[in-house]
Amino acid sequence: LRKEAFSGYSLPKGATAVRILYHSLDATGRAVATSGVVLIPAGTAPASGWPVIAWAHGTSGVARLCAPSAMKDVYYGAEGLMPMVAAGFAVVATDYHGLGTEGPHQFVNKTAQAHDVIYSIPAARAAVPSLGAKWVVDGHSQGGLAAWGVAEAQHDLKDPDYLGAVL
């Protein structure tokens, strides 16, 4: 739906960020807008594009202002996100809908959060063409449930570029 470069994060030297607003679905299949951020490593992307980790965050709250993309360290900065970026991975970090966007956050709803992660990947690629095709999902706490939901959904979706989940 929309993208914007953003320089207000504490990123590894030379890394950049692009905030995204994208289409997703809630647990009932209703269209929703979801926000997030794409963190891009420093340097030139490999020929196949930056390897992608979809980050499914743990509970940050349940209100719009609790969106990790609204926080200087994207909520888990030094505890995983920034080391991934420093190691050469692009990180696509969803906020989950209702965090950063209008509407209720469907707290700890595996289907809703899995949709937000899955739909973040094509949105991130549209916003940042240097991303590679292959991706994994990494989730912690509430995000662990989201990563589990992504793995279950991929049984039917069969995305050939999805490589697996870590939760």
Side-chain angles (χ1 to χ4, degrees), residues 7-100:
S7 60
Y9 297 126
S10 298
L11 298 173
K13 184 177 174 130
T16 57
V18 175
R19 286 180 166 173
I20 57 175
L21 182 68
Y22 61 97
H23 170 268
S24 185
L25 299 173
D26 71 7
T28 66
R30 184 178 60 91
V32 293
T34 303
S35 57
V37 62
V38 183
L39 306 174
I40 305 118
T44 303
S48 60
W50 292 113
V52 176
I53 298 172
W55 171 248
H57 67 84
T59 303
S60 60
V62 295
R64 186 174 183 182
L65 57 85
C66 299
S69 71
M71 301 175 196
K72 187 174 178 98
D73 68 351
V74 196
Y75 190 51
Y76 280 100
E79 295 178 27
L81 290 181
M82 300 316 161
M84 289 181 213
V85 175
F89 294 93
V91 175
V92 179
T94 184
D95 288 329
Y96 309 133
H97 67 271
L99 304 179

Side-chain angles (χ1 to χ4, degrees), residues 83-141:
M84 289 181 213
V85 175
F89 294 93
V91 175
V92 179
T94 184
D95 288 329
Y96 309 133
H97 67 271
L99 304 179
T101 56
E102 295 289 330
H105 172 51
Q106 294 180 324
F107 179 63
V108 191
N109 185 302
K110 181 174 61 173
T111 301
Q113 271 92 78
H115 285 156
D116 292 337
V117 172
I118 291 166
Y119 284 97
S120 74
I121 298 301
R125 285 198 191 103
V128 182
S130 62
L131 298 185
K134 304 293 184 189
W135 65 285
V136 299
V137 59
D138 181 13
H140 161 75
S141 187

